């Protein structure tokens, strides 16, 4: 059975950030209110994962126990790179997911977060063969994968997993043309292979819900009927091949605002798209580090520091003033996704600065990261920013 994307609502409910998630004590009554509002407005796609603490169980209580099973789609995911010691652990994850959700099957089962040094675990434990068996046993109707990856990696994943029916990719206007993320290229590759796309991180962990003042002025003029969050969501949902855009909603007001726009969704028109492009240029042209992601610096670094990723994170701080979010980006872009060493491990040899065609004072940037970003504490909800 092929996935019929026309039956899935254009806005999906991302279930990683349910109300109360920061304390791991999800408010079921309030979550139920959000889910009811979402369903009433025409939404029907819920995205969770075995690795999201308490999310599947909360969804089982707030959704599955309270609404007919044929009135919604549930997507969940398996992950081998944090806790697997053998292939049998994947079956344990699946059974826990089904039990927590209280369902006999899920509509979509995904491999969770391919890319970088995480990919090896998927091959080591034959995860794709397992995922295919889940569909063959009738425990999932459709299968695919989510990825934070390079375009070259995505090409390889599509070749390695030809039975995939969909792919979940990061799509937001601040990273659309970023050399660290290359989102446009990844979406184009998915389109080339006819693979439908679920867009994740459209509001960049909440950063685009409160963008810099210059960006707000552009959006206020061109998209007066949109909140900053819905403008970002519409950008992602308007990308070619995207059939569902996930929003990690955690208040009733957010649900109502988002579904006001997506209940009768319209893609960005030419003028609105031009405004988003303008906002993107303003972000890129702000008083930020002019790193192009060429990685000449990385080629000469004797320690394997994730230099361009570190500078990307510094630019988040300079654009949004959110040190905790920037610190998370250092960890995610540099170590977690890139498999590189952190800027705090730099030995100060200066080889990177000699190689940089933009003449960036990289060591000064590392000093600023250390002083203004890496020293801050991150709240638990910031730790969950991503995917």
């Amino acid at each position: 059975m092929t996935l019929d994307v026309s039956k899935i609502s254009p806005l999906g409910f991302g279930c990683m950030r349910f109300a109360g998630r920061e304390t791991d004590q999800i408010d079921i009554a309030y979550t139920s209110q959000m889910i009811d509002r979402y369903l009433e407005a025409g939404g029907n796609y819920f995205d969770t994962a075995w690795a999201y603490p308490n999310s599947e169980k909360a969804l089982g209580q707030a959704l599955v126990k309270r609404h007919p099973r044929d009135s919604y789609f549930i997507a969940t995911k398996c992950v081998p790179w944090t806790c697997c010691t053998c292939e049998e652990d994947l079956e344990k994850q699946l059974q826990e997911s089904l039990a927590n959700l209280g369902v006999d099957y899920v509509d979509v089962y995904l491999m969770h977060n391919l890319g970088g040094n995480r990919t090896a675990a998927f091959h080591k434990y034959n995860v794709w063969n397992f995922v295919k068996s889940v569909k063959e046993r009738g425990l999932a109707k459709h299968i695919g994968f989510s990825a934070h990856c390079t375009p070259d990696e995505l090409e390889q994943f599509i070749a390695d997993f030809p039975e995939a029916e969909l792919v979940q990719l990061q799509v937001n206007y601040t990273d659309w043309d970023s050399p660290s993320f290359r989102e446009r290229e990844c979406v184009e590759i998915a389109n080339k292979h006819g693979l439908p796309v679920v867009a994740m991180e459209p509001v960049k962990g909440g950063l685009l819900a409160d963008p810099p003042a210059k960006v707000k002025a552009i959006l206020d003029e061109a998209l007066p009927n949109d909140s900053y969050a819905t403008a970002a969501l519409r950008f992602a949902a308007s990308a070619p091949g995207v059939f569902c855009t996930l929003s990690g909603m955690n208040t009733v007001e957010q649900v109502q605002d988002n579904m006001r726009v997506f209940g009768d969704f319209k893609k960005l028109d030419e003028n609105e798209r031009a405004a988003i492009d303008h906002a993107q240029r303003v972000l890129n042209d702000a008083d930020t580090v002019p790193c192009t992601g060429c990685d000449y610096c990385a080629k000469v670094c004797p320690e394997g520091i994730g230099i361009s990723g570190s500078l990307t994170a510094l630019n988040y701080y300079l654009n949004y003033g959110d040190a905790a979010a920037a610190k998370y980006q250092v960890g995610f872009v540099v170590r977690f996704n890139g498999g590189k060493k952190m800027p705090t491990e730099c030995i100060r040899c200066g080889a990177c600065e000699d190689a940089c065609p933009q003449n960036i004072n990289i060591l000064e940037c590392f000093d600023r990261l250390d002083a203004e970003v890496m020293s801050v504490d991150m709240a638990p909800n910031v730790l969950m920013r991503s995917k």
Side-chain angles (χ1 to χ4, degrees):
M1 185 192 334
T2 303
L3 177 65
D4 185 353
V5 300
S6 68
K7 294 183 178 180
I8 294 175
S9 59
L11 186 76
F13 201 130
C15 301
M16 189 175 69
R17 302 185 180 95
F18 280 144
R21 168 63 190 84
E22 63 273 11
T23 63
D24 283 341
Q25 298 297 319
I26 294 172
D27 187 332
I28 300 300
Y30 192 74
T31 298
S32 298
Q33 291 181 44
M34 291 192 295
I35 285 174
D36 291 350
R37 298 291 186 278
Y38 172 71
L39 291 169
E40 289 164 3
N44 66 8
Y45 189 86
F46 295 85
D47 174 85
T48 184
W50 177 86
Y52 300 162
N54 295 327
S55 175
E56 290 177 329
K57 187 173 290 187
L59 194 62
Q61 295 176 32
L63 173 69
V64 176
K65 287 184 177 180
R66 302 175 57 252
H67 294 277
R69 181 65 183 90
D70 61 357
S71 64
Y72 52 82
F73 297 84
I74 292 178
T76 194
K77 315 177 191 76
C78 63
V79 54
W81 39 265
T82 58
C83 54
C84 267
T85 59
C86 60
E87 293 181 29
E88 287 73 19
D89 287 341
L90 295 168
E91 183 67 28
K92 292 178 182 178
Q93 283 190 27
L94 171 65
Q95 295 304 324
E96 286 182 15
S97 290
L98 294 173
N100 286 334
L101 289 164
V103 297
D104 297 323
Y105 69 91
V106 293
D107 300 280
V108 176
Y109 201 53
L110 303 175
M111 295 192 294
H112 190 173
N113 198 10
L114 283 150
N117 58 8
R118 302 178 302 283
T119 301
F122 289 90
H123 294 298
K124 179 179 180 180
Y125 297 111
N126 298 308
V127 180
W128 186 240
N129 285 337
F130 170 74
V131 169
K132 288 192 292 183
S133 80
V134 174
K135 182 177 180 181
E136 289 165 359
R137 288 181 280 159
L139 301 178
K141 291 187 176 182
H142 306 285
I143 55 177
F145 60 91
S146 73
H148 287 272
C149 62
T150 67
D152 288 344
E153 286 178 314
L154 182 57
E155 284 278 14
Q156 190 61 55
F157 299 153
I158 293 172
D160 289 343
F161 316 127
E163 301 88 354
E165 299 171 73
L166 71 160
V167 60
Q168 190 163 305
L169 298 171
Q170 180 171 302
V171 181
N172 60 69
Y173 68 78
T174 192
D175 292 327
W176 184 240
D177 292 306
S178 163
S180 293
F181 291 93
R182 301 168 69 184
E183 292 176 358
R184 181 198 296 269
E185 294 176 67
C186 286
V187 170
E188 289 172 349
I189 287 169
N191 290 339
K192 180 180 71 173
H193 291 279
L195 200 57
V197 176
V198 174
M200 59 180 166
E201 285 298 318
V203 194
K204 193 62 180 177
L207 289 177
L208 295 179
D210 186 23
K214 290 182 179 179
V215 171
K216 288 180 178 178
I218 295 167
L219 300 180
D220 287 343
E221 180 177 355
L223 292 91
N225 297 320
D226 279 304
S227 65
Y228 306 123
T230 58
L233 288 166
R234 289 182 64 208
F235 170 86
S238 298
V242 170
F243 72 92
C244 184
T245 298
L246 302 178
S247 177
M249 300 173 279
N250 55 28
T251 70
V252 169
E253 290 74 21
Q254 288 175 359
V255 174
Q256 292 172 332
D257 181 43
N258 291 350
M259 293 308 293
R260 175 184 57 81
V261 173
F262 279 83
D264 182 23
F265 175 65
K266 293 180 176 61
K267 291 189 175 185
L268 296 173
D269 63 29
E270 185 175 340
N271 291 333
E272 291 171 330
R273 179 56 194 251
I276 296 287
D277 289 345
H278 185 195
Q280 186 184 44
R281 291 194 300 273
V282 166
L283 285 172
N284 292 337
D285 294 341
D287 186 20
T288 53
V289 182
C291 175
T292 64
C294 69
D295 276 338
Y296 291 149
C297 54
K299 293 175 182 177
V300 300
C301 177
E303 295 298 303
I305 306 295
I307 300 172
S308 60
S310 299
L311 299 183
T312 295
L314 178 58
N315 280 339
Y316 285 139
Y317 172 61
L318 297 175
N319 268 322
Y320 301 103
D322 190 331
K327 183 175 180 179
Y328 176 83
Q329 288 297 320
V330 175
F332 181 77
V333 176
V334 175
R335 174 163 288 165
F336 183 69
N337 206 44
K340 304 290 186 180
K341 288 186 178 181
M342 300 286 273
T344 49
E345 299 174 84
C346 172
I347 62 173
R348 317 288 295 185
C349 69
C352 55
E353 294 187 346
D354 292 336
C356 179
Q358 307 300 322
N359 297 313
I360 298 170
N361 294 320
I362 295 172
L363 299 184
E364 289 185 10
C365 292
F366 283 1
D367 289 340
R368 187 162 188 185
L369 269 173
D370 187 47
E372 300 180 39
V373 173
M374 302 307 291
S375 60
V376 303
D377 291 329
M378 290 190 292
N381 61 318
V382 174
L383 291 171
M384 291 300 292
R385 281 178 175 157
S386 180
K387 299 174 291 304

